[in-house]
Amino acid sequence: MPKRLASALARLKTSKAGNSKEKTMKIIVDWDLCQGHANCMGDAPEVFRVDDDGMLTVLLEEPPEVLRAKVELAARYCPTQAIRVEG
């Protein structure tokens, strides 16, 4: 493989790896505040599940960037502000 091509591929791999680390989001739940209203599940069912007893389960603690808008809506409209998004 020519040196220029190998160098370009190495830069591309490094660039992609750096971007994924920069855009990692993490879901933080204040379990003392959560009352199981399930608004989060309505906004981001891929990430949150509330069972019949009102118990929240976070399905993806570090969801992919493509779900950011949904996760941020879930945090914004949580009636008790129990959900926080970091990253």
Side-chain angles (χ1 to χ4, degrees):
M1 179 181 305
K3 276 187 173 181
R4 288 171 70 183
L5 179 58
S7 177
L9 287 173
R11 280 194 310 272
L12 180 61
K13 286 179 184 176
T14 302
S15 169
K16 284 184 179 180
N19 287 341
S20 66
K21 286 184 180 180
E22 289 175 20
K23 295 192 177 195
T24 299
M25 82 176 115
K26 184 170 180 160
I27 310 249
I28 307 295
V29 176
D30 184 332
W31 298 104
D32 293 330
L33 292 177
C34 181
Q35 295 179 2
H37 291 281
N39 291 17
C40 55
M41 192 170 81
D43 291 326
E46 306 90 339
V47 179
F48 302 101
R49 175 161 300 134
V50 178
D51 67 19
D52 293 336
D53 294 326
M55 297 299 298
L56 172 65
T57 301
V58 179
L59 302 172
L60 299 170
E61 289 183 12
E62 294 183 5
E65 187 64 25
V66 69
L67 295 175
R68 180 174 292 275
K70 288 182 169 189
V71 170
E72 287 179 348
L73 278 177
R76 184 178 307 137
Y77 293 113
C78 175
T80 61
Q81 298 298 295
I83 301 170
R84 192 172 80 236
V85 180
E86 290 185 352

